[in-house]
Every structure is written in C-alpha cells, then in structure tokens.
Amino acid sequence: MKRVDLVVIGAGPAGMAAATTAAEHGLGVTLLDEQSRPGGQIYRDVDRAAAKRGGILGPDFQHGATLTRALRDSAVEHITGAVVWAIEDSFRISYTKESRGAQIEADRILLATGALERPMPVPGWTLPGVMTAGAAQILLKQSGVVAKRAVLVGSGPLLYLIAAQMVRAGSPPLALVETQSRADLTRATKYAGGALRAWPYLAKGLKLMTEISRARVPRHTGATGIAIEGEGRAEIVRFEAGGRTHRIACDTVLLHHGVVPNTQAARSIGVSHRWNADQAAFVPVLDHWGCSEKAGVYIAGDGAGIGGAEVAEVAGQLAALQIATEAERLAEASRDKFAAPLLKKRARDMAIRPFLDAAYPPAPEALLPGDATIICRCEEVTAGEIRRYAGLGCLGPNQTKAFGRPGMGPCQGRYCGLTVTALLSDALEQTPDETGYYRIRPPLKPVTLSELAEMDVPPQRAKE
C-alpha cells in the first residue's frame, strides 16, 4: 500500500493551497477530491466556467484559477473522483474511485472538507422546485443553467451574490425574502470597527446590492412565517413582512440562511468539537496552525469555522507551513517568516465575521421548526417527533436513532444533525455542547459491496 508524507482531503481553496505549499517544501503530497476538477464548491469547475461565464460569476470566482494553475504546476498527486469513506487511526484512508475501492496511508492528514449550507426546514421545503441557493449556484457555475422565476429566501451575503449573478445572466430573481431584521443590524453595529478593517468586503457587498436595486428586484426584510405552497411542486412563497401577508407566485424557491462547517470526517476520527454560538454551529478545536488535539490531524478552511474563500486559502498555507516544520523540511524561523503576512491577512479578513454573524443570523423559525415540519428528509422525521422523543427520555442525537432513525439515511446526518441538536437542546433546556451531535462512523459516504470487492484487484484484471 502506498504511503505518503501528507494526504489532503478536499480540493477547494484550503486544500489546493495546502497541498501546493506542502509540496513546495519537499513533502510528498496526495490530494483526494470527489470532484472531477479542482476548485471545491466555491471555485467549482473554475477552469472551464471562468472562460465561459466569468463575467457573470465575477472576479472573486475567477481568482480560483490561480490556485488550480499552481496545483497543476506542482508535484502534488491529485486524485479526482475519489470519495473518501473511512479514515483509520493509523491514517489509512479508504476511498472509492471509478467503482473500485482503494486505500492510501499517510504520516499526516489535512482535512479541507469545507462547509455545508445550513438546512432551512420550513413548511414545504421538501417540495420539488425547492433547493438551496448554493445548489442553484453550482448549476450556474458548472452547466450554465439559471433558475427561472425564482425567489431567494433566507439571509446572508451569499443571497446578494447569487441574486446579482442571476441578474447578470438575464434571469433576475422575482424577489429576495430576507429573514434578518432591523434589530439584527442594530446589534451588529457594535462590530462596525472590525467590519471597517475589512472594508473591501463591505464595498463588494454594497456593489452587489446596487446591482440588485438597479434590476428592480423587490426585497422584503424581517420576513417571518415563511411557507412554500403548491400542489406537487413549489408554486407560492408565503410570508409575513411589513405588517402584512405576502404571497409570491414562482417556479423555484432557493433557500439559504448561512453555511456551517462540514465536520463529518473530523468527527469520525475523534477530533473534539465545541459549540460556536456566533455561528450557531459546532467547530473543531484547533490551534492557530489548524492542528487538532489528535497528533498529525490538521483542518483548514471553512471546515474549521466559517471564514470564506480567501481565509480558507490562507489557512491552508498556514497549516502546510506547520506540517513542513513538523516533518523537518522547514525551520521554525523560516516558518514564522512565511507565516507573518498570512496571519496578518487572516486577522484582517476575519475582522468582518462578528459583524456578518450578528447582522445575518440564521432564521429562528428554521432553527426550531414547527412540529409538522420534516427535519430529516432521508427518513422523513418531523420536528414534533424529535420533541416527543425528548419527552420520552431521549437525551441526545444518537439516542434519537433508536426512536425514529433520524441521521441514519444516505446523508448520515449532514443535513439534519444541527436541527436535531437544536430541538433537543431547546426541549431539554440544555446547551448544544451538553446535547452533543451524532457519533459519526464509517462509511462516511455510501459504498457498495462490489466496490469493496474490487479493492485489492489489480486494475487490469478489474477491467476484464
């Protein structure tokens, strides 16, 4: 079995930057990624999409091509289409590629698994025609498909970016239905000093909002009572705002109220996590280099806490510098010299996060949905059932599996885990840290028996 100095999992900004930097300092690096091309979600298919749709997607997206170029020019072994489904304590990594199982061992592992869109369970969110805003953006990036007659619902800067991109593509959204309120913005003003340190981000946001305004896209803020209605598909978004009920007829509904770290892989190998109240999500416990308490395990990018693409890139570089130092390929003094401007940039870029977290909180009614709302789509478990389990003595997410199978479907709790924790914490009157999260075990992603059977078969024989 092949063994390398470092395996990086995920080829987004953090993974690409980490792999390239580590290779520059003499480490043997293998980069495993599910996608067929590097870029992750934020720079998805950037090498093709930037040439075809760069004007629509914007300069920030096109920046991803500098990372993919550096990756191609490096000595990194980049394995595409690799679905990682198990990581053992010995740092043996099992993955599937082209319907065959495979394994690789490493001295160190860097997880760059990025973020997931926070699920937004509201009445009707399981209807056909409803998807996350990020999914709609992936369609635009990878296939040039733009959602038609769409309403954007939720909160956060990503809504403005996607709305502006839709305007540029000639299919502006019918409306933005935003859940953040004027009171949220007032609370956020105490972080204005930090936000001004990162003024380029504010300037970008104002530019996006100007584009949306010029396209005459209606905006409704402080929306509550959001529900999606329709016979067999999404047809209407209903909500309360400005003291009255609104109903917007549409063909597509795009939901978004923030992103959260994808912690599945980290949890599967026992990395400790803590609740971050500002981001309303669990984050791994790391030092400033991205090193976890488990020796040899590093995490960089949004999987370590939400910071955005530029912060993720910097975090990947910082982690790689520390890994190179531990591997005795880089002296500490050299590490610190390379790291100094990176640490400065990260601090400046992260200064806006408290303002954004306060100004665009997740929608309260989607964090604690009504009893009839499905929260586990895989197993069709409702919020009311989770509350009932708490009343029957269920104390944590793992126990809910015995009561009604939430978290046991194909997504393995990726999309219902935080909601289950929130519902139980509320019902049991305890903190999310006390309530906990699902215990994640392999396989992290579905794997077939045939893929396992082919694991030790030589490639030539497998083709026969």
Side-chain angles (χ1 to χ4, degrees):
M1 184 183 302
K2 183 176 181 179
R3 188 175 187 90
V4 296
D5 296 323
L6 173 66
V7 166
V8 177
I9 300 175
M16 289 189 290
T20 302
T21 302
E24 287 175 352
H25 291 287
L27 278 78
V29 183
T30 295
L31 174 60
L32 302 176
D33 187 48
E34 290 188 17
Q35 305 302 323
S36 59
R37 299 180 184 87
Q41 300 299 348
I42 189 67
Y43 298 132
R44 194 180 184 96
D45 206 13
V46 64
D47 291 327
R48 290 195 317 143
K52 295 181 178 181
R53 294 174 285 277
I56 293 173
L57 296 169
D60 287 347
F61 175 75
Q62 296 177 61
H63 170 72
T66 64
L67 294 174
T68 60
R69 189 180 308 115
L71 178 63
R72 284 194 301 272
D73 293 341
S74 73
V76 174
E77 178 189 29
H78 180 202
I79 301 178
T80 61
V83 180
V84 174
W85 49 266
I87 305 171
E88 299 177 35
D89 286 339
S90 60
F91 293 173
R92 176 181 296 176
I93 301 163
S94 300
Y95 63 96
T96 298
K97 177 178 172 62
E98 296 176 350
S99 300
R100 297 184 65 241
Q103 292 182 319
I104 187 172
E105 292 183 337
D107 294 336
R108 294 172 179 82
I109 295 175
L110 189 146
L111 301 176
T113 51
L116 299 168
E117 272 191 279
R118 185 191 303 275
M120 191 173 177
V122 296
W125 77 306
T126 58
L127 284 170
V130 183
M131 66 178 77
T132 66
Q137 193 182 46
I138 287 172
L139 286 173
L140 174 59
K141 291 175 181 176
Q142 192 154 359
S143 305
V145 175
V146 186
K148 305 294 184 183
R149 288 180 45 77
V151 177
L152 285 164
V153 180
S155 68
L158 183 62
L159 287 183
Y160 305 140
L161 174 60
I162 294 175
Q165 290 171 340
M166 293 173 70
V167 167
R168 297 169 200 160
S171 182
L174 298 175
L176 270 70
V177 178
E178 302 177 56
T179 58
Q180 80 279 355
S181 65
R182 191 170 297 177
D184 294 322
L185 183 59
T186 299
R187 282 191 292 270
T189 55
K190 66 180 179 180
Y191 303 112
L196 290 173
R197 285 182 59 197
W199 65 266
Y201 288 99
L202 293 176
K204 289 175 187 177
L206 290 173
K207 183 179 178 181
L208 293 174
M209 296 178 74
T210 299
E211 285 188 71
I212 296 166
S213 177
R214 286 177 178 169
R216 300 184 183 279
V217 176
R219 288 183 59 206
H220 305 272
T221 59
T224 60
I226 297 167
I228 302 161
E229 302 172 347
E231 292 295 328
R233 55 178 292 275
E235 296 175 339
I236 292 171
V237 176
R238 174 173 53 81
F239 60 95
E240 305 284 335
R244 65 188 186 91
T245 300
H246 300 258
R247 294 167 62 86
I248 302 175
C250 59
D251 293 336
T252 308
V253 181
L254 307 179
L255 300 175
H256 176 84
H257 68 152
V259 293
V260 296
N262 180 357
T263 63
Q264 301 291 101
R267 286 182 176 278
S268 75
I269 52 177
V271 172
S272 296
H273 288 71
R274 60 176 175 78
W275 182 254
N276 183 319
D278 293 333
Q279 297 188 351
F282 287 104
V283 298
V285 178
L286 308 168
D287 67 14
H288 69 285
W289 297 107
C291 183
S292 74
E293 62 187 17
K294 292 185 69 68
V297 176
Y298 287 76
I299 305 174
D302 279 348
I306 304 305
E310 292 189 37
V311 171
E313 181 181 342
V314 168
Q317 293 172 296
L318 288 169
L321 291 174
Q322 176 62 12
I323 291 169
T325 302
E326 287 187 2
E328 299 182 349
R329 309 296 174 87
L330 185 66
E332 287 189 12
S334 297
R335 176 203 63 189
D336 294 344
K337 179 181 177 181
F338 289 129
L342 297 173
L343 290 167
K344 184 176 180 181
K345 175 174 172 51
R346 182 169 67 177
R348 183 177 65 248
D349 289 352
M350 284 297 290
I352 197 172
R353 287 311 313 181
F355 175 83
L356 294 178
D357 291 339
Y360 299 100
E365 63 192 52
L367 292 178
L368 295 171
D371 283 351
T373 303
I374 290 175
I375 55 97
C376 173
R377 300 179 63 142
C378 296
E379 300 294 333
E380 297 187 339
V381 179
T382 66
E385 289 175 292
I386 299 297
R387 292 185 175 102
R388 183 169 61 85
Y389 303 157
L392 292 173
C394 178
L395 299 178
N398 287 304
Q399 286 182 305
T400 64
K401 296 178 180 180
F403 283 83
R405 293 186 55 83
M408 296 183 71
C411 87
Q412 290 292 285
R414 283 174 180 79
Y415 300 109
C416 69
L418 287 177
T419 309
V420 169
T421 293
L423 289 166
L424 289 177
S425 297
D426 181 67
L428 299 170
E429 298 182 347
Q430 59 189 21
T431 68
D433 280 321
E434 292 170 329
T435 302
Y437 191 81
Y438 292 128
R439 185 175 296 112
I440 305 301
R441 299 184 177 92
L444 298 172
K445 296 286 182 73
V447 57
T448 67
L449 290 176
S450 64
E451 289 168 341
L452 293 176
E454 295 288 346
M455 181 174 289
D456 296 321
V457 178
Q460 186 59 42
R461 181 181 162 192
K463 291 179 181 178
E464 296 173 0

